[in-house]
Amino acid sequence: MKRFLGMLTLVGFICSAELSYGQVEKADQEFEQLSYFSALELYKKAFEQTKTVPILQKIVECCKRTNRYKEWESWAAKLIAADNKNPDNYLTYGDALMRNGKYTDAKQAYYLYGRYSNGKLFESQFLQASCDSALNQMNSPITTATVKTLDVLSTPYSDWGLTKYRNGFVFSSDRPWEQKTIDKNEKKLYGWTGRPFLKIFYVESDPEKNSWGTPTLFSDFFNGEYHTAGAAFNERQNTVFFTRTRFVNTPETGTKPVLRLEIFMSEAWKEAKPFKYNSILKYSVGDPAVTSDGTRLYFVSDMQGGYGGTDIYYCDMGADGEWGPFKNAGPGINTKGDERFPTLMGDNVMFFSSNGRIGMGGLDIYRATQEKGEWKNVLRMDYPINSPQDDFSLVVTKISGVPENADKIKLEGFFSSDRFDSKGADDIYQFTCVMPQFQKEYYYKGRTMNKETGLPITNVTITVTDLSSKVSTTFKSNDKGDYEVPLKPNRQYEIVMKKNNYFASKQMFNTGDKLRMDMLQSDLTFDPIVLDRSIRLNNIYYDFNKSTITAESQAELDNLVGVMKENPEIIVELGAHTDSRGDAAVNLALSQKRAQAVVDYVVGKGIPATRITGKGYGKTKPLVMCEGGNECSEAEHALNRRTEFKVTRVRTDMAAATK
């Protein structure tokens, strides 16, 4: 009887072993096909039957790749208990602890990783420093930053990468959608996550009013069979760049597929074209970001020759419309780790995510500025914008100065994260924060040109006045008409440009509200001063048959006052004209009264009476002849009924001109 029971036990053990072996074999197949979601469940069932270290290692890896942070930590702890001699087990356990915000325990795990491994001391110390830095941030969070979930777009699925487009935003999501290209019963799921593939969605929105519409699929035309995500637009929004994925078998991987990324672009919503440097059998390219004019494209790739796992690259479009050679963005921005998800604010400020710097865990968001073609000045965004989990795809929608501190700037916008308070795998978050200025000095530059001829004007005097300090500085444009004026951030300036025989140009400029750096570039045109050339004043109205100036006319007359103050050397005649209807003598007298009324208004605004005279012309100088058999329409009568000014003399004695 005992021998019989022993046989039953042996048979049961063999059946259990065969069942476990079959599950592991199937799980390995799923793992090799990148289906980590289903592989994880199979490995768990196999581990119930056969508790081996190799199965534990695969469970930990599946949890890691599917971002199941709490399960990752739990299974990694079991792996340490089962095999406490393998230094890599301490590394993955430390990573899991860090993703769960347990920095003290993570630091200990990283210490043991360095102790038990050969040649990994620097990496161990680097990871421990990240734990110390993260602890400091979480214990002393910056009070100038606020973060909240954008609930209207949050689902149990992955929602990320909000990007401005027309009257709303586009974003990427693996939420279910109404497929039109295949049968509803054949909807494909992504084996890696167990959810649908990513698609690009559009939602109308006015964030200032907290108004959001219902998301819809952006375009069946752009969205592909597998992942389609990460849209980027040029400023005119007539060209879109985005990333698609494909599973491919390469000569190196054989029957084991790899997931590769490619960039596609569409101009004027024509058929999407592949990016010139796609090379799906060799490497991935993705995460596009484009400059405002669409002539420089930044992208991420894991091609050989970089600084780490994935680096940020760029290429420029030539005059022939073709992309030129690509270049690595350099060691100022790329590390031994992964750099991902670049976004541009203007053309000289980049936000990106990296796991290759001292951070809080996973991908952290950083900011860099470009100076003379080189990316540098990398600054980490602090907690609570960065978290122990992945933080990425930050976009700025509003920038403003900080009145009490000119060296700071306030940003508002959105970013994406899979932190623990998210409703799904990834969520979109709104943020505000105050951080150091992107640069200590702006340069307002351009070219001064004749408005009529388009030719450059040289040696223009440029007077810049800081309105807070009342300090003025004078510059001149060069012999090509080019100018470059340094300005401080968070300042209100008055900029006056003058040249003999040209009307002066004045503008107010605020360096605290510039979202794009290239907005500081402007070509300025100047109207030449031509003696006795009449210049019409628009929107000058009088009460019927009277010389009283209406309130609607005052804004235009204030412009005339401004011109005379900016050009104190000019002597002006103000001319008033009537239409051709009515008695000539009556019209002449009425027009003289109207001209004098304008003169009185201008003098009342502080212009010396010696600089302006008024003359009524009645109907003696019509623009359109309405007499002698010609009948005029009301529109033509309105053209004749006008108020004009002309420069009759330019004084060279500026001291006398102001009297």
Side-chain angles (χ1 to χ4, degrees), residues 60 64 72 76 80 86-98 106 109-114 117 120 123-124 127:
V60 170
K64 175 181 178 180
W72 178 8
I80 291 287
N86 187 340
D88 289 339
N89 293 343
Y90 290 100
L91 176 61
T92 190
Y93 185 43
D95 289 345
L97 289 165
M98 197 171 186
Y110 288 139
Y111 166 76
L112 293 173
Y113 167 63
S117 59
K120 300 294 184 180
E123 182 181 352
S124 169
L127 292 168

Side-chain angles (χ1 to χ4, degrees), residues 102-121:
K102 299 179 180 179
Y103 295 112
T104 301
D105 293 338
K107 183 178 180 179
Q108 177 65 18
Y110 288 139
Y111 166 76
L112 293 173
Y113 167 63
R115 178 180 177 182
Y116 292 132
S117 59
N118 293 321
K120 300 294 184 180
L121 182 60

Side-chain angles (χ1 to χ4, degrees), residues 395-447:
V395 294
V396 176
T397 57
K398 185 177 180 181
I399 182 171
S400 55
V402 179
E404 62 273 16
N405 191 336
D407 292 327
K408 299 284 186 177
I409 201 161
K410 181 180 179 181
L411 305 181
E412 300 177 44
F414 303 90
F415 69 94
S416 305
S417 178
D418 65 345
R419 58 190 60 192
F420 285 147
D421 65 353
S422 65
K423 294 183 179 179
D426 299 298
D427 272 354
I428 297 168
Y429 291 80
Q430 291 178 287
F431 79 92
T432 64
C433 74
V434 174
M435 64 185 306
Q437 278 283 349
F438 299 122
Q439 55 193 85
K440 296 300 182 183
E441 200 167 54
Y442 296 101
Y443 285 92
Y444 184 58
K445 57 187 178 180
R447 176 167 290 184

